[in-house]
């Protein structure tokens, strides 16, 4: 029995000693097993990653400070934070803007027009397109008259194309100011006077697009010397982008100083700005450009099914040879963002829910239903119609150019301007806002944002916002954002923007037409030799072709040359 107890003791004692070791072994085996069966990192497993990111997004957005709100329509990013960026000052301007200023005064080599203008040379032009496209033609007409040493007759506006606006120059612009402010640059007359005791009929002709100084001297001047009066038809983008410095600065003096709206238009526009300021210290002006004609011409598709295809397809028939590829257009950034996408972009940049937005636009495709997605993100949306009475707008409402002028004034006076299409209005305002202090001007980087919007359901709000910030670098209206000479001069007037060298601030009064006020170093543009090696006009004919070969239509009325079926309607629609 003793032996049995000893054997039993010898048998049981090792089991007691092995228990802790076995437990430790089991724990180690379980830990190793967990390493193999646990899910991979979020980035390694697409399905789990998507689910986790959605849960993470809810958690982050609910703890991001401030309230959040439900997104209408789509649920990919189901909650958008209502609060804005902590660095609010950067939303409304650039820290670098004080280092730059507009400088458009002529050099001492630019001779007074009283000495250069020849008494028997008169230039007449007929503009083309909407208000802003016509504005580019007016600016370039002044420069063309200077190149030809001719007097300019106050331009005739396009009254027959897409908008059917019967307004003349003096009903939109302050004619007396236009003439007097440019008197030292170009002689401008209201009507064609008699030459040699008789009134001469103008010789009609058209110059190619992007016509250079040399082009005007070779093509137009010989006819002008012979006929004395030349009328250039469909005058839009008929002057080269690169010119001599003094001519570029003349462009700026016309665009930013000489072209003023009439008193009734200017006063009404300032009333609209005042009413926006009464609602909010800062406000955004949004050129939404989501009209049916714009969407039809872009060839883009926005998910409206057969109804959208039928309606936009009917409008698209105006343009022969237009074969849209909606998916390719979106990938290449040629499609305007939807109102919802604009709202998400602005919120991601840091603009909060309480911001007031002035929407400059014509008829929105889809009406209030289309705007509802933007209004859900930014409830404080306004238009000129909602902040003014019908009686106040009555003098303007029947004229598309006058209504466009009101939008132009408000967009120019806004704290941040957002252009949803890089058309004429967007380009002119971008250039103007650069010239007058680099005010915040946002252009959606549609090419980069498109895939981001497609994939926004697979990331947190913070990740989405971070990528929007990254993609929008270079599209926010910062100084030196565009290289000198790049893009249209009306959009990037680099010759007329100077960088301070003394570190002192300059007021807007330093931009008056006083040659003694220009101090600082101009942002240089690639040099253009005098009439040598310039870019050629866009024409099939040789630039040096004699004037006799110019296409002249002495019978056809000017307005017949700018009908709505013209293939160059692309420029009109981009207004």
């Amino acid at each position: 029995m003793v032996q049995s107890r000893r054997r039993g003791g010898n048998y049981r004692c090792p089991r007691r000693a092995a228990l802790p070791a076995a437990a430790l072994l089991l724990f180690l085996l379980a830990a190793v097993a967990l390493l193999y069966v646990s899910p991979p990192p979020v980035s390694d497993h697409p399905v789990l990653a998507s689910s986790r990111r959605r849960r993470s997004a809810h958690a982050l957005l609910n703890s991001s400070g401030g309230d959040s709100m439900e997104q209408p329509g789509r649920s990919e990013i189901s909650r958008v934070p209502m609060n804005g960026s902590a660095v609010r000052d950067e939303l409304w301007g650039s820290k670098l803007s004080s280092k730059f200023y507009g400088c458009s005064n002529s050099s001492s080599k630019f001779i007074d027009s009283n000495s250069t203008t020849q008494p028997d040379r008169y230039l007449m032009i007929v503009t083309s397109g909407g208000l802003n496209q016509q504005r580019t033609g007016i600016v370039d007409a002044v420069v063309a008259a200077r190149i030809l040493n001719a007097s300019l007759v106050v331009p005739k506006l396009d009254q027959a194309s897409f908008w059917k606006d019967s307004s003349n120059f003096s009903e939109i612009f302050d004619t007396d100011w236009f003439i007097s402010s440019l008197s030292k640059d170009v002689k401008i007359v209201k009507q064609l006077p008699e030459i040699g005791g008789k009134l001469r009929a103008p010789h009609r002709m058209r110059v190619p697009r992007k016509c250079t100084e040399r082009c005007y001297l070779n093509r137009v001047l010989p006819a002008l010397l012979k006929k004395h009066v030349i009328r250039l038809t469909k005058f839009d983008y008929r002057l080269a982008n690169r010119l001599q410095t003094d001519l570029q600065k003349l462009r700026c003096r016309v665009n930013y100083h000489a072209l003023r709206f009439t008193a009734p238009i200017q006063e009404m526009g300032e009333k609209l700005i005042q009413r926006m300021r009464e609602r909010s210290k800062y406000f955004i002006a949004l050129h939404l450009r989501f009209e049916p004609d714009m969407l039809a011409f872009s060839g883009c598709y926005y998910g409206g099914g057969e109804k959208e295809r039928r309606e936009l397809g009917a409008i698209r028939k105006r343009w022969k040879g237009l074969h849209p590829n909606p998916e390719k257009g979106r990938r290449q950034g040629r499609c305007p963002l939807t109102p919802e996408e604009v709202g998400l972009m602005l919120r991601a940049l840091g603009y909060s829910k309480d911001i007031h937005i002035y929407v400059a636009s014509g008829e929105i495709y889809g009406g209030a239903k289309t705007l509802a997605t933007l209004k859900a993100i930014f409830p404080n949306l306004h238009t000129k119609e909602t902040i003014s009475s019908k009686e106040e707008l009555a003098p303007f409402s029947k004229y598309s150019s006058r209504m466009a002028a009101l939008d132009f004034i408000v967009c120019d006076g806004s704290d941040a301007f957002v252009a949803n299409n890089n058309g004429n209005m967007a380009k002119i305002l971008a250039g103007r806002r650069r010239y007058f202090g680099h005010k915040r001007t946002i252009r959606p980087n549609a090419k980069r944002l498109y895939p981001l919007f497609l994939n926004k359901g697979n990331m947190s709000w913070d990740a989405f916002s971070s990528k929007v910030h990254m993609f929008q670098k270079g599209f926010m209206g910062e100084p030196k954002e565009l290289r000198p000479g790049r893009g249209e001069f009306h959009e990037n007037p680099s010759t007329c923007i100077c960088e301070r060298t003394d570190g002192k601030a300059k007021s807007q009064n330093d931009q008056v037409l006083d040659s003694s006020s220009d101090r600082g170093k101009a942002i240089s543009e690639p040099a253009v030799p005098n009439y040598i090696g310039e870019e050629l006009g866009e024409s099939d004919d040789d630039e040096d072709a004699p004037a006799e070969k110019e296409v002249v239509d002495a019978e056809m009325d000017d307005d017949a040359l700018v009908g709505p079926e013209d293939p160059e309607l692309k420029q009109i629609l981009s207004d």
Side-chain angles (χ1 to χ4, degrees):
M1 292 296 293
V2 174
Q3 188 176 5
S4 172
R5 282 196 300 268
R6 189 181 294 117
R7 271 199 307 267
N10 289 340
Y11 175 75
R12 286 192 296 266
C13 285
R15 284 184 60 193
R16 289 194 196 101
L19 283 174
L24 179 61
L25 180 61
L26 287 172
F27 176 78
L28 290 173
L29 289 172
V32 172
L34 281 173
L35 288 175
Y36 281 97
V37 300
S38 63
V42 171
S43 59
D44 294 335
H45 199 302
V47 176
L48 290 175
S50 176
S51 175
R52 287 186 172 195
R53 277 195 289 265
R54 287 193 182 94
R55 291 196 299 270
S56 175
H58 282 285
L60 285 170
L61 294 174
N62 288 328
S63 63
S64 61
D67 299 324
S68 56
M69 70 177 205
E70 293 298 328
Q71 267 295 100
R74 301 176 186 175
S75 60
E76 290 92 337
I77 295 183
S78 57
R79 286 175 178 261
V80 180
M82 292 170 125
N83 59 317
S85 169
V87 191
R88 295 186 65 86
D89 290 344
E90 293 185 3
L91 298 176
W92 306 112
S94 167
K95 293 180 179 178
L96 301 175
S97 62
S98 61
K99 297 181 179 180
F100 300 86
Y101 64 96
C103 52
S104 59
N105 299 309
S106 60
S107 72
S108 58
K109 298 178 181 179
F110 199 70
I111 303 171
D112 192 292
S113 64
N114 290 325
S115 301
T116 61
T117 305
Q118 300 301 307
D120 58 348
R121 300 182 192 177
Y122 289 89
L123 177 66
M124 305 175 73
I125 68 117
V126 181
T127 61
S128 174
L131 174 67
N132 297 290
Q133 186 169 331
Q134 293 186 81
R135 189 184 185 106
T136 65
I138 294 166
V139 171
D140 290 348
V142 174
V143 180
R146 175 73 191 203
I147 292 171
L148 297 167
N149 290 331
S151 296
L152 176 68
V153 181
V154 169
K156 179 184 176 184
L157 301 187
D158 180 0
Q159 298 175 337
S161 64
F162 190 78
W163 290 270
K164 308 292 185 191
D165 191 320
S166 62
S167 301
N168 58 41
F169 188 96
S170 62
E171 290 172 313
I172 296 178
F173 299 107
D174 185 335
T175 306
D176 291 334
W177 171 255
F178 179 69
I179 293 172
S180 63
S181 64
L182 295 170
S183 59
K184 293 183 178 180
D185 302 310
V186 173
K187 183 180 178 181
I188 304 174
V189 296
K190 292 183 179 180
Q191 293 181 339
L192 182 66
E194 292 184 350
I195 302 175
K198 60 181 181 180
L199 191 63
R200 293 178 179 261
H203 177 75
R204 291 184 179 90
M205 58 189 300
R206 187 183 296 178
V207 294
R209 287 177 177 267
K210 309 295 184 182
C211 195
T212 64
E213 296 170 66
R214 180 183 176 189
C215 168
Y216 275 92
L217 295 176
N218 286 337
R219 288 176 176 267
V220 183
L221 184 58
L224 184 59
L225 293 175
K226 182 178 179 180
K227 302 291 186 179
H228 303 292
V229 183
I230 295 294
R231 172 174 286 179
L232 300 179
T233 60
K234 196 165 178 60
F235 199 83
D236 60 336
Y237 294 96
R238 304 291 167 174
L239 188 62
N241 203 45
R242 290 172 52 198
L243 299 171
Q244 299 296 314
T245 297
D246 267 326
L247 294 179
Q248 296 287 56
K249 286 182 176 279
L250 175 56
R251 263 178 162 163
C252 295
R253 291 197 294 279
V254 181
N255 202 357
Y256 307 134
H257 298 283
L259 275 179
R260 288 183 179 176
F261 293 115
T262 59
I265 293 175
Q266 190 65 38
E267 289 167 6
M268 187 63 213
E270 289 172 359
K271 280 184 183 179
L272 296 174
I273 293 175
Q274 181 184 352
R275 288 168 189 174
M276 289 300 297
R277 295 249 177 259
E278 289 169 355
R279 290 165 167 77
S280 178
K281 181 180 179 182
Y282 300 107
F283 76 92
I284 294 172
L286 167 61
H287 190 214
L288 192 55
R289 209 60 178 100
F290 211 71
E291 297 92 343
D293 61 339
M294 180 66 224
L295 301 186
F297 187 82
S298 70
C300 303
Y301 174 67
Y302 291 95
E306 187 57 34
K307 181 175 182 291
E308 177 184 327
R309 292 189 179 93
R310 183 177 64 255
E311 292 174 345
L312 298 186
I315 300 173
R316 202 171 287 130
K317 290 178 181 178
R318 296 174 187 167
W319 305 287
K320 297 177 181 179
L322 185 63
H323 304 292
N325 184 330
E327 184 60 29
K328 184 178 179 181
R330 289 280 278 178
R331 287 198 311 269
Q332 294 179 347
R334 295 200 305 267
C335 298
L337 301 188
T338 67
E340 179 190 24
E341 289 168 345
V342 171
L344 289 173
M345 177 195 72
L346 290 175
R347 186 60 61 77
L349 289 172
Y351 293 97
S352 59
K353 175 193 175 185
D354 59 353
I355 294 299
H356 286 251
I357 297 180
Y358 178 91
V359 180
S361 180
E363 174 195 359
I364 302 295
Y365 181 67
K369 184 178 179 181
T370 300
L371 276 179
T373 52
L374 176 59
K375 196 173 180 66
I377 303 173
F378 290 99
N380 300 311
L381 294 185
H382 311 278
T383 64
K384 53 186 174 292
E385 290 81 9
T386 62
I387 59 175
S388 58
S389 66
K390 288 185 178 179
E391 291 73 22
E392 288 177 307
L393 291 179
F396 317 100
S397 58
K398 294 181 180 179
Y399 305 93
S400 60
S401 290
R402 299 182 208 185
M403 294 289 273
L406 296 179
D407 281 340
F408 185 97
I409 293 169
V410 180
C411 290
D412 185 36
S414 65
D415 301 288
F417 171 61
V418 182
N420 194 26
N421 169 262
N422 201 30
N424 292 303
M425 179 173 171
K427 289 177 181 177
I428 290 176
L429 278 169
R432 184 178 179 86
R433 291 171 72 87
R434 285 188 173 98
Y435 182 83
F436 287 110
H438 284 88
K439 295 188 286 186
R440 177 64 70 213
T441 305
I442 302 171
R443 294 176 300 127
N445 185 356
K447 187 174 182 178
R448 299 294 303 277
L449 291 176
Y450 171 58
L452 181 63
F453 286 128
L454 287 181
N455 195 44
K456 66 182 184 289
N458 296 323
M459 64 184 73
S460 70
W461 174 259
D462 286 348
F464 175 79
S465 177
S466 176
K467 286 186 177 294
V468 170
H469 275 273
M470 181 172 63
F471 294 160
Q472 282 300 120
K473 285 183 179 179
F475 292 80
M476 299 294 289
E478 292 286 330
K480 294 187 176 181
E481 205 170 64
L482 295 177
R483 293 195 304 271
R486 183 173 183 180
E488 295 290 342
F489 184 78
H490 303 292
E491 178 184 13
N492 181 29
S494 54
T495 308
C496 304
I497 297 176
C498 292
E499 188 171 1
R500 305 184 197 287
T501 56
D502 56 5
K504 295 181 181 179
K506 287 176 95 62
S507 67
Q508 187 167 320
N509 292 331
D510 292 322
Q511 292 161 337
V512 298
L513 306 183
D514 177 4
S515 60
S516 65
S517 68
D518 272 355
R519 301 188 192 110
K521 182 180 179 182
I523 299 175
S524 60
E525 206 175 84
V528 181
N530 192 24
Y531 307 138
I532 299 174
E534 298 178 7
E535 56 184 311
L536 303 180
E538 294 179 2
S539 172
D540 294 332
D541 299 329
D542 182 73
E543 187 181 65
D544 295 322
E548 289 75 16
K549 288 189 178 180
E550 201 64 55
V551 176
V552 178
D553 188 345
E555 302 297 329
M556 187 179 295
D557 184 79
D558 292 325
D559 292 334
L561 296 174
V562 290
E565 296 300 325
D566 195 291
E568 292 178 4
L569 191 56
K570 177 179 180 180
Q571 288 291 338
I572 298 176
L573 283 176
S574 66
D575 204 61

